[in-house]
């Protein structure tokens, strides 16, 4: 198998031969058909996350077919299409795992960060963390659902049931969440970089009620807002945009520092929370609903060996929706 490997933090990924990887007990090997590129991959490459494993194969939005099954794996078969998400393993015995919060496990492994991921022709995954995807939908179109979609779904649940929903940062995750929120009968208010009229138009095409710059106030107070952008300055702006009792959800794994802000922005029972990782049940719930919702993902594909270009284009915001690598 071949992979685009990060050998040193901050360096370009290198095309590398990784011959003969076999699934161990409880693992499967997946021939990769498509792997989405997520902002978290940029954080991994840039060394912005603690305790990275290097060298590492990034990529945690994997769609592929099982081509080998290790000992002790039940309920999966060779040839089956599966998705491999960010949460790659949990310990099953820490207080969080035992308390139904496996997303906060004390000893987790994350795909493409602390275990090798999907910027490769094949990958080895813990079978318990692979989701059967069925045969509906195209491999490339499904890939962004595995992180952008899943984290968006989890964030949407944590945002509550309010009808007026703000989305700060309209990239891969928001373009999926906007469709889910609309299907749920909510109104979406999309915030982009000030002056980014093309992304604002993209948001309106996906059904946003209103789209504007993050420096603008929405036309009416929001029930909740989700921040997907990695910009801490957005936190006080989002708090200002939500009503009394409203909630602001930070969905990113990394964010620049949040500036100090007057207490009155939090007063009146506004809430500020973050969302970390996913639970397998989030994946099962979301992936079973996705065909019914009729989510259309907007993707830009790159050949696997152009992964560095895909990362650079993501960093520069040069495409709408999500980038997907195809081996
Ligand atoms: Zn645990
Ligand atoms: Zn991700």
């Amino acid at each position: 198998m071949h992979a685009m490997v990060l050998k040193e933090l901050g360096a370009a990924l290198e095309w590398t031969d990784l011959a003969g990887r076999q699934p161990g007990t409880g693992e499967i090997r997946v021939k990769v058909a498509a792997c989405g590129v997520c902002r978290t991959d940029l954080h991994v490459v840039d060394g912005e996350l603690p305790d990275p494993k290097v060298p590492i194969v990034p990529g945690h939005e994997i769609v592929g077919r099982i081509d080998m099954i290790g000992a002790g794996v039940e309920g999966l078969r060779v040839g089956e299409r599966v998705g491999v998400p960010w949460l790659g393993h949990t310990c099953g015995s820490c207080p969080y795992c035992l308390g139904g919060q496996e997303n906060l496990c004390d000893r987790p492994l994350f795909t493409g960060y602390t275990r090798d991921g999907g910027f490769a022709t094949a990958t080895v995954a813990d079978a318990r963390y692979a989701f059967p995807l069925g045969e509906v939908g195209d491999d490339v179109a499904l890939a962004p659902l595995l992180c952008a979609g899943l984290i968006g779904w989890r964030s949407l649940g944590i945002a509550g049931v309010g009808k007026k929903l703000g989305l700060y940062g309209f990239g891969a995750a928001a373009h999926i969440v906007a469709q889910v929120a609309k299907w749920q009968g909510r109104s979406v208010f999309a915030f982009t970089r000030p002056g980014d009229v093309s992304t604002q138009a993209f948001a309106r095409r996906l059904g946003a009620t209103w789209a504007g710059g993050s420096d603008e106030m929405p036309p009416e107070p929001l029930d909740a807002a989700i921040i997907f952008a990695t910009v801490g300055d957005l936190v006080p702006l989002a708090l200002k945009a939500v009503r009394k009792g409203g909630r602001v959800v930070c969905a990113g794994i990394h964010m620049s520092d949040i500036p100090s802000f007057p207490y009155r922005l939090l007063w009146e029972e506004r809430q500020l929370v973050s969302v970390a990782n996913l639970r397998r049940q989030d994946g099962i719930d979301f992936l079973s609903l996705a065909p019914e919702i009729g989510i259309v993902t907007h993707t830009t594909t790159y050949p696997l060996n152009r992964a560095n270009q895909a990362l650079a284009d993501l960093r520069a915001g040069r495409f709408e929706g999500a980038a997907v690598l195809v081996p």
Side-chain angles (χ1 to χ4, degrees), residues 11 39 66 83 100 107 151 155 158 162 183 202 236 239 245 271 273 282 300 303 324:
R39 186 160 290 279
I66 298 174
R107 290 177 293 277
I151 296 294
S155 303
I158 288 175
W183 178 80
F202 178 53
L239 282 169
Q271 298 171 36
V273 297
D282 300 318
T300 302
V324 178

Side-chain angles (χ1 to χ4, degrees), residues 168 214 217 227 231-242 248 250 255-262 264-266 270 272:
Y168 284 80
S214 57
M217 287 297 282
I227 304 178
V231 182
D233 300 85
L234 295 174
V235 170
L237 292 172
L239 282 169
K240 204 182 282 184
V242 299
V248 173
C250 299
M255 196 181 241
S256 57
D257 286 354
I258 300 169
S260 71
F261 55 85
R264 65 178 160 75
L265 296 183
L266 189 61
R270 289 178 183 83
L272 176 61

Side-chain angles (χ1 to χ4, degrees), residues 37-41 60-61 86 146-148 151:
V37 181
C38 171
R39 186 160 290 279
T40 299
D41 297 315
H60 55 271
E61 296 183 313
W86 170 248
L146 267 302
C147 181
I151 296 294

Side-chain angles (χ1 to χ4, degrees), residues 126-317:
D126 184 323
R128 297 170 304 157
Y129 297 81
F131 300 117
L133 290 178
E135 296 296 333
V136 178
D138 166 77
D139 296 330
V140 168
L142 287 174
L145 301 186
L146 267 302
C147 181
L150 267 175
I151 296 294
W153 170 257
R154 183 165 171 76
S155 303
L156 191 56
I158 288 175
V161 296
K163 293 286 184 209
K164 292 171 202 158
L165 178 75
L167 301 177
Y168 284 80
F170 205 85
H175 99 284
I176 296 171
V177 171
Q179 297 175 58
V180 178
K182 196 155 176 263
W183 178 80
Q184 292 175 330
R186 309 193 202 211
S187 303
V188 170
F189 298 75
F191 298 82
T192 70
R193 291 185 183 120
D196 185 355
V197 290
S198 73
T199 303
Q200 290 163 16
F202 178 53
R204 283 190 209 96
R205 284 203 301 280
L206 289 176
T209 302
W210 176 92
S214 57
D215 56 343
E216 294 175 51
M217 287 297 282
E220 48 194 321
L222 305 174
D223 296 315
I226 305 173
I227 304 178
F228 291 110
T230 59
V231 182
D233 300 85
L234 295 174
V235 170
L237 292 172
L239 282 169
K240 204 182 282 184
V242 299
R243 61 165 172 79
K244 290 183 279 189
R247 189 175 296 170
V248 173
V249 180
C250 299
I253 193 169
H254 180 83
M255 196 181 241
S256 57
D257 286 354
I258 300 169
S260 71
F261 55 85
Y263 174 64
R264 65 178 160 75
L265 296 183
L266 189 61
W267 168 239
E268 294 173 325
E269 301 195 351
R270 289 178 183 83
Q271 298 171 36
L272 176 61
V273 297
S274 69
V275 167
N277 313 317
L278 69 139
R279 299 174 191 171
R280 280 172 286 176
Q281 194 60 46
D282 300 318
I284 292 163
D285 294 345
F286 175 64
L287 293 168
S288 65
L289 262 182
E292 191 180 326
I293 299 170
I295 296 168
V296 177
T297 54
H298 294 251
T299 54
T300 302
T301 57
Y302 296 78
L304 174 60
N305 62 9
R306 299 264 293 155
N308 290 307
Q309 187 62 47
L311 288 168
D313 289 351
L314 172 61
R315 195 188 294 283

